[in-house]
Amino acid sequence: MNGVAAAPAATGQRRGKILFWLRAIAGHAALGGIYLAAYVGLDWLSFFEEFRGLDVTLWNPQPALTLILIIQRGTAYTPYAPAAPFLSDWIVRDFPLSLAGTLAYDGIFAVGYVALAFLMRQFRSITADDARVQDMVWLVSTIVLGCLIISSACAETLELLGIIKEHRVRQIIGAFWIGDASGILAFLPFFITWPDALRTWRRGTSRQRIIDLSVFAFTVAFALFIVFGIDDARSPGFFYLLFIPVCWAAVRLGVGGAATACVTVQLVLVLTLDLLDYPPQEFRPFQVMMLALTGTGLLIGTVITQRGRAEAALRAREAELSRLGRVTSLGAMGSALAHQISQPIASVATYAHAAQRMVAAEAPDLGRLNEVLSNIAGDARRAGEILRRLRDFIAHGGQQTQSIDVTALLQRSVRTARESESGHVLDIRLRAALLPAVMGDELQLEQVFLNLLRNAIDATAQIPAGRRRIAIETTATDGAVEIAIEDNGAGIAANFEPLLFEPFETTKATGMGLGLSISRQIVESHGGKLWYERGEGGGARFVVRLPSVKGALP
Ligand code: ADP
């Protein structure tokens, strides 16, 4: 039985393996094909000011593709590297050398860039997220030095093949070196960092994005106008103006922005030079300046990215510290917990006692009993909910944010306060304006109002029953709502005022001194403020100010 079942399983496994390999080979070939097409396309685009039909031009960015393919996709793509210049020589230049010459020249060229790619595989991590200045310095120096070595080897080969004379070797090395180094320096970091640059750019508001693009486009156009439109010396005299857009992009978007700006400026510059028919001897100083601009832009961008990362790490540390702070005040929270849930637990005990008495009666009123039992369930749920929120608060200060109708919340708090202080004759007046909605955690804000109301009730306890007053007034101010709770108690002694919001500061025999400190913490975590003012009649007045949702009615 087992053998019969195992046979189809083994066949299925084999088929799965074959499919896997076929897919891998197809993927490999497809990417290789894209690389070859892009290489030939970029070579065709940048094939001007060439030296005797050879691939020695003053701007040669396509080796960046070879580097990026091997650096990011792995050494398995190495065989495509010699095929690319060979294909280019055929399609773009129609084989300017003999077959042996082409094979020797392209072979050395490909071996040079493959070796450079192997060396640079350690820079794979240069993305906007982990760019470091020292890595960028290494990347720039490796490219500049690597291009010098490859250009020297290729020029020597051309001399050995008898294609160039000895006195031209240095000139060829110069053109080759600058052309390849400036092209690669612009394109390689761009290929590595553009997804990060795009992500950073998208993070901005649409207004910021429009400003960024406009500043960049305007400064590039302005610089080109000055360099080519006004300065007729045909020299890169005002070239330094092109540092403005590159530095702008570097400062705004970090290394990814700098790399994108360098590629764009280089493309625009090369196209302009070509359109204006600049001869190679005048073209070259621009390319040398471009090399300096690219190197500088990349370094500034990397510094900005590194600083941004350090700031983010600092913010994360601050958040962690604040979390630790909350955990450290766990003891205080424990007392707070007792303070907050003592009321529902006391109600549960009272209701349970009442229920016991009802059951013991001769003819129990089942309707009333049911009511009392649902009150018990409601209070137990409430205590559980307070515990859950407190646990959340300790874990991550998390709030269950929702749109809140402040007036309805105040009405509910007044009802709860009245119920819990049933022995106390109270005159609580709520004068509520039409308020916009507030975003926040309803239960936490209810705790704040209940704390303030309970304090006001305590403060008026000494006053004869008919004269106790608590006034709640709400107003909508610009972008916020204010809730003032004022009582006609004795107010707060001047020497106690500075301690009001300090934890464990109380003047009550059974007080814990936590209500106001926790309330302030809650209000501030909602982006609001809680403060004390002396009331007009000498009593205490506490004001809660909460940011409102603009124009949103609850
Ligand atoms: P507790 O009520 O447990 O003492 P709180 O932090 O809520 O803790 O209040 C701290 C102190 O502030 C109180 O002990 C009281 O002296 C004073 N206080 C708060 N509200 C009022 C008020 N409305 N009128 C007078 N004193 C008040």
Side-chain angles (χ1 to χ4, degrees):
M1 274 289 272
N2 272 350
V4 178
T11 319
Q13 237 176 19
R14 207 174 311 127
R15 197 174 301 146
K17 257 189 199 163
I18 293 171
L19 265 174
F20 170 80
W21 280 109
L22 279 178
R23 242 183 252 138
I25 291 167
H28 199 275
L31 187 63
I34 292 172
Y35 156 74
L36 290 175
Y39 189 101
V40 175
L42 208 53
D43 194 6
W44 178 78
L45 267 179
S46 61
F47 188 56
F48 48 79
E49 307 292 4
E50 80 284 358
F51 179 77
R52 285 203 213 157
L54 288 173
D55 188 20
V56 177
T57 67
L58 278 172
W59 192 57
N60 211 31
Q62 65 276 15
L65 293 174
T66 310
L67 295 177
I68 196 76
L69 182 75
I70 297 176
I71 291 172
Q72 291 215 317
R73 290 309 175 121
T75 48
Y77 285 90
T78 307
Y80 292 98
F86 189 79
L87 213 62
S88 252
D89 271 343
W90 177 28
I91 297 173
V92 182
R93 286 175 282 278
D94 197 18
F95 287 131
L97 304 176
S98 63
L99 184 63
T102 304
L103 285 177
Y105 182 82
D106 287 351
I108 290 178
F109 186 83
V111 166
Y113 279 110
V114 166
L116 195 57
F118 274 58
L119 190 69
M120 288 173 64
R121 271 173 62 80
Q122 56 180 300
F123 300 122
R124 238 175 322 179
S125 63
I126 295 197
T127 65
D129 283 338
D130 51 12
R132 289 184 311 160
V133 174
Q134 55 268 48
D135 285 343
M136 192 50 85
V137 171
W138 272 109
L139 181 107
V140 172
S141 346
T142 313
I143 291 173
V144 173
L145 265 175
C147 288
L148 175 64
I149 295 169
I150 296 168
S151 61
S152 308
C154 285
E156 292 298 340
T157 312
L158 288 175
E159 194 207 342
L160 276 178
L161 291 171
I163 297 163
I164 57 169
K165 296 266 180 311
E166 199 187 335
H167 68 277
R168 302 294 301 274
V169 170
R170 277 172 67 181
Q171 187 195 342
I172 294 295
I173 292 176
F176 190 139
W177 180 26
I178 294 168
D180 280 30
S182 61
I184 294 172
L185 254 192
F187 273 84
L188 184 68
F190 168 72
F191 282 132
I192 301 177
T193 59
W194 73 264
D196 298 300
L198 196 65
R199 220 176 305 131
T200 320
W201 189 64
R202 280 205 184 132
R203 242 179 261 150
T205 59
S206 50
R207 196 163 147 258
Q208 268 170 340
R209 287 187 231 163
I210 292 171
I211 293 177
D212 282 346
L213 268 185
S214 316
V215 171
F216 183 73
F218 174 77
T219 46
V220 170
F222 177 73
L224 289 179
F225 172 70
I226 300 282
V227 175
F228 296 105
I230 291 183
D231 188 16
D232 52 3
R234 291 175 76 92
S235 73
F238 285 105
F239 183 92
Y240 57 82
L241 287 172
L242 281 167
F243 276 77
I244 301 172
V246 171
C247 290
W248 171 266
V251 169
R252 292 284 306 130
L253 304 174
V255 65
T260 313
C262 287
V263 165
T264 316
V265 168
Q266 222 174 78
L267 278 170
V268 173
L269 185 77
V270 168
L271 275 175
T272 314
L273 290 169
D274 195 40
L275 278 177
L276 296 178
D277 273 339
Y278 269 55
Q281 62 274 23
E282 287 175 15
F283 193 115
R284 190 168 309 158
F286 280 99
Q287 280 303 80
V288 176
M289 294 287 269
M290 195 63 227
L291 200 62
L293 171 62
T294 310
T296 315
L298 289 175
L299 283 176
I300 295 177
T302 312
V303 170
I304 298 288
T305 299
Q306 210 172 358
R307 206 194 62 183
R309 207 171 45 238
E311 277 170 7
L314 207 69
R315 272 199 300 277
R317 268 243 295 282
E318 272 169 10
E320 178 58 14
L321 275 180
S322 124
R323 196 189 73 82
L324 280 178
R326 279 195 297 276
V327 173
T328 316
S329 59
L330 206 60
M333 283 298 168
S335 310
L337 186 63
H339 188 67
Q340 304 279 7
I341 62 169
S342 58
Q343 183 257 324
I345 288 177
S347 309
V348 166
T350 314
Y351 284 130
H353 192 61
Q356 265 177 338
R357 268 188 296 142
M358 284 179 186
V359 172
E362 275 191 7
D365 177 349
L366 289 181
R368 177 87 184 102
L369 186 63
N370 187 35
E371 199 181 306
V372 169
L373 287 175
S374 28
N375 284 345
I376 292 179
D379 277 325
R381 255 201 312 276
R382 197 175 147 66
E385 180 73 351
I386 293 172
L387 278 174
R388 191 174 68 76
R389 294 292 170 82
L390 209 69
R391 198 182 50 218
D392 285 357
F393 183 71
I394 293 166
H396 42 70
Q399 290 170 341
Q400 303 226 333
T401 309
Q402 65 187 87
S403 168
I404 299 172
D405 177 350
V406 176
T407 311
L409 183 60
L410 281 168
Q411 283 163 344
R412 204 166 62 231
S413 309
V414 169
R415 238 185 351 259
T416 314
R418 275 190 206 282
E419 277 165 19
S420 62
E421 308 289 332
S422 51
H424 201 95
V425 182
L426 268 176
D427 178 5
I428 305 184
R429 288 181 192 180
L430 171 62
R431 250 197 321 159
L434 186 64
L435 295 179
V438 157
M439 287 304 284
D441 184 313
E442 203 162 44
L443 205 89
Q444 283 190 2
L445 290 178
E446 190 182 348
Q447 291 303 323
V448 172
F449 297 140
L450 275 176
N451 277 329
L452 297 178
L453 282 171
R454 239 174 248 138
N455 279 343
I457 291 169
D458 288 347
T460 52
Q462 306 305 322
I463 300 176
R467 299 220 312 264
R468 294 169 190 156
R469 304 265 181 277
I470 296 175
I472 305 171
E473 204 180 331
T474 64
T475 39
T477 59
D478 191 25
V481 297
E482 277 185 13
I483 303 107
I485 300 180
E486 185 173 341
D487 60 66
N488 65 343
I492 285 149
N495 62 350
F496 191 71
E497 253 183 62
L499 305 173
L500 255 186
F501 293 95
E502 294 298 320
F504 303 112
E505 292 296 342
T506 180
T507 57
K508 301 174 193 167
T510 54
M512 289 198 187
L514 282 167
L516 286 178
S517 73
I518 290 175
S519 298
R520 179 172 264 184
Q521 227 174 337
I522 292 177
V523 172
E524 286 179 353
S525 74
H526 281 75
K529 276 191 170 148
L530 165 61
W531 70 91
Y532 161 77
E533 288 172 1
R534 184 170 291 277
E536 278 177 12
R541 178 182 165 92
F542 286 89
V543 188
V544 176
R545 186 183 162 87
L546 292 165
S548 59
V549 183
K550 242 192 185 155
L553 287 175

